[in-house]
């Protein structure tokens, strides 16, 4: 499979990522994600600096480098593994466009944004305005969708020509397994994905927009995940497996890199939490409506959390942060 290069990253950066993925991380599949997220020497430098702060167990970290915006925590599906329409107790809502613009304006150093978290981002009436504003400010946009709203060529073309750099499609299972988990016929979603790939080729966007699949691995999908890979890996830029988040006592032995990595999570109401595991917003560290993300990033709350982790004291949600154990995917929040 050809590995896509992003932005102004060249062969040297691509080679570097190949070596890191295979010999340092020992995760060859990580090569694609490295190319996607660390597409320039500036991006690599920011990652290097945040990693140094992590290794030093500093109470601070270097810089906010990306933002996961919860454009909405509403969804048109009720998937078995997702809390949004099953167990989530938090109020539902939509991210204000002006708040999105404020964060982009306040953080010119951002390497990319992801206007999705919990929920279906294409339900937001202003999602294309968010994408357009980010792209005009030279901040790449990576978006994820369940693809059920990509119902015809016109809608697909609008998304593929919006300026996004990557489109991830969630595909939890295959055939009857997918239908049971998502409540949507697999045959129908398969046709949609194939149409996305056809339109990308017709629009000559194959070098501009990466199209990937992500499978959440848990009891229902583990046995069919390899079937998904075999069906799609030759047509997609990447097929990724992500273990399901499970909240139960953790055997964590090391500080979590998420507190230093550089990604900030902004919930739809502006409250900020340190990582995507906190789907109920229980570990609020600031408010993007009132503060700049860099100030929140090295503010009192996050400094305190880093200090706890450095002392191997994992309180609150961090003490229950776990993932489905599977040989198909590495845990992300160790």
């Amino acid at each position: 499979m050809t590995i896509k290069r992003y932005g102004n990253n060249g062969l040297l950066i691509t080679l570097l990522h190949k070596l890191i993925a295979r010999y340092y991380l020992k995760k060859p599949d990580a090569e694609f994600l490295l190319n996607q997220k660390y597409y320039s020497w500036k991006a690599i430098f920011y990652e290097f600096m945040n990693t140094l702060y992590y290794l030093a167990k500093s109470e601070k970290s270097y810089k906010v480098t990306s933002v996961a915006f919860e454009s909405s925590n509403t969804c048109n599906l009720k998937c078995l593994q997702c809390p949004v329409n099953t167990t989530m107790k938090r109020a539902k809502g939509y991210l204000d466009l002006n708040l999105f613009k404020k964060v982009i304006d306040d953080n010119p150093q951002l390497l990319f944004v992801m206007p999705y978290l919990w929920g279906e981002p294409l339900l937001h009436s202003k999602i294309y305005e968010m994408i357009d504003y980010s792209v005009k400010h030279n901040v790449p946009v990576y978006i994820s969708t369940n693809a059920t709203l990509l119902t015809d060529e016109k809608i697909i073309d609008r998304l593929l020509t919006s300026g996004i750099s990557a489109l991830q499609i969630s595909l939890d299972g295959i055939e009857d397994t997918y239908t049971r988990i998502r409540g949507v016929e697999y045959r129908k979603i398969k046709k949609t994905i194939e149409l996305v790939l056809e339109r990308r080729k017709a629009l000559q966007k194959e070098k501009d927009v990466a199209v990937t699949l992500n499978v959440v691995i848990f009891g229902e999908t583990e046995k069919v995940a390899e079937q998904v890979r075999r069906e799609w890996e030759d047509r997609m830029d990447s097929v990724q497996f992500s273990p399901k988040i499970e909240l139960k006592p953790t055997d964590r032995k090391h500080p979590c890199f998420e507190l230093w990595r550089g990604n900030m999570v902004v919930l739809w109401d502006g409250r900020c939490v340190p990582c995507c595991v906190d789907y109920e917003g229980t570990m609020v560290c600031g408010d993007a409506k009132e503060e700049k993300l860099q100030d929140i990033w090295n503010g009192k709350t996050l400094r305190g959390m880093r200090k706890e982790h450095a002392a191997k004291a994992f309180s609150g949600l961090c003490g229950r942060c776990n993932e489905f154990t599977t040989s198909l995917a590495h845990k992300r929040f160790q």
Side-chain angles (χ1 to χ4, degrees):
M1 180 174 63
T2 301
I3 297 296
K4 179 182 284 288
R5 297 200 300 272
Y6 283 79
N8 59 356
N9 63 329
L11 289 172
L12 186 57
I13 289 178
T14 303
L15 177 60
L16 177 63
H17 291 157
K18 183 185 291 291
L19 294 173
I20 290 173
R22 296 193 178 188
Y23 300 108
Y24 176 67
L25 298 175
K26 300 187 186 303
K27 302 176 184 177
D29 290 347
E31 183 181 347
F32 177 85
L33 292 177
L34 291 174
N35 274 298
Q36 184 180 39
K37 293 184 177 181
Y38 310 115
Y39 54 82
S40 68
W41 290 113
K42 181 175 79 170
I44 292 172
F45 175 73
Y46 285 174
E47 171 72 3
F48 175 74
M49 291 300 295
N50 282 336
T51 301
L52 281 184
Y53 278 75
Y54 167 73
L55 294 174
K57 296 182 173 61
S58 171
E59 291 182 18
K60 293 187 175 183
S61 188
Y62 180 63
K63 198 180 292 289
V64 175
T65 58
S66 60
V67 181
F69 288 98
E70 183 181 62
S71 53
S72 177
N73 63 338
T74 62
C75 188
N76 59 323
L77 301 183
K78 190 177 181 179
C79 303
L80 298 182
Q81 80 283 13
C82 180
V84 171
N85 285 328
T86 55
T87 62
M88 184 180 284
K89 299 176 181 178
R90 185 162 50 91
K92 301 296 178 67
Y94 294 85
L95 183 75
D96 185 81
L97 176 61
N98 289 326
L99 175 57
F100 180 91
K101 291 181 177 180
K102 175 186 181 298
V103 172
I104 297 296
D105 292 342
D106 285 347
N107 297 275
Q109 83 284 357
L110 290 176
L111 301 173
F112 60 91
V113 298
M114 300 167 286
Y116 66 91
L117 188 62
W118 298 103
E120 171 52 53
L122 297 184
L123 287 172
H124 200 299
S125 62
K126 303 290 185 182
I127 191 65
Y128 289 103
E129 292 179 54
M130 294 179 191
I131 294 170
D132 185 62
Y133 194 82
S134 186
V135 171
K136 285 184 176 178
H137 285 74
N138 298 312
V139 182
V141 178
Y142 307 151
I143 196 164
S144 180
T145 177
N146 60 36
T148 58
L149 300 178
L150 301 177
T151 53
D152 57 45
E153 287 188 9
K154 183 177 180 180
I155 295 173
I156 292 171
D157 288 1
R158 185 182 186 191
L159 183 59
L160 291 174
T161 59
S162 64
I164 59 171
S165 296
L167 170 61
Q168 176 181 274
I169 297 174
S170 299
L171 191 74
D172 297 322
I174 196 169
E175 303 297 350
D176 292 344
T177 301
Y178 175 88
T179 301
R180 184 169 62 254
I181 291 170
R182 297 219 157 212
V184 177
E185 287 187 25
Y186 180 75
R187 174 183 56 81
K188 181 177 180 180
I189 208 70
K190 179 179 178 180
K191 289 181 63 176
T192 296
I193 296 171
E194 289 173 340
L195 184 57
V196 168
L197 296 173
E198 289 172 11
R199 294 310 302 160
R200 183 177 68 154
K201 183 175 182 179
L203 294 166
Q204 299 183 338
K205 288 290 182 179
E206 291 177 295
K207 293 184 178 180
D208 300 321
V209 183
V211 178
T212 68
L213 290 183
N214 185 73
V215 182
V216 175
I217 305 297
F218 63 113
E220 294 284 336
T221 59
E222 187 177 30
K223 57 185 177 294
V224 298
E226 289 297 349
Q227 290 178 248
V228 178
R229 192 199 299 274
R230 287 194 296 271
E231 175 152 356
W232 292 103
E233 66 179 345
D234 291 335
R235 291 183 277 179
M236 289 289 177
D237 292 300
S238 175
V239 177
Q240 303 157 18
F241 294 161
S242 302
K244 177 189 174 185
I245 294 169
E246 296 183 337
L247 300 183
K248 60 184 181 180
T250 180
D251 58 355
R252 184 187 305 281
K253 296 179 175 62
H254 305 286
C256 181
F257 186 47
E258 290 299 301
L259 295 176
W260 285 265
R261 183 165 65 91
N263 182 65
M264 180 69 78
V265 174
V266 178
L267 301 179
W268 71 264
D269 57 4
R271 293 180 302 154
C272 298
V273 294
C275 81
C276 65
V277 174
D278 189 9
Y279 59 79
E280 290 290 9
T282 62
M283 302 177 69
V284 175
C285 53
D287 191 331
K289 297 192 299 293
E290 308 295 335
E291 308 165 81
K292 292 185 177 181
L293 293 193
Q294 190 63 31
D295 294 335
I296 297 172
W297 185 241
N298 283 317
K300 181 179 179 180
T301 301
L302 271 174
R303 290 203 316 270
M305 292 180 66
R306 294 187 188 111
K307 186 175 181 179
E308 281 191 0
H309 273 238
K312 298 184 179 181
F314 308 115
S315 62
L317 190 64
C318 295
R320 297 186 297 118
C321 175
N322 223 312
E323 295 172 277
F324 182 79
T325 301
T326 174
S327 61
L328 297 176
H330 295 276
K331 289 188 175 182
R332 298 157 293 176
F333 307 117
Q334 300 181 71

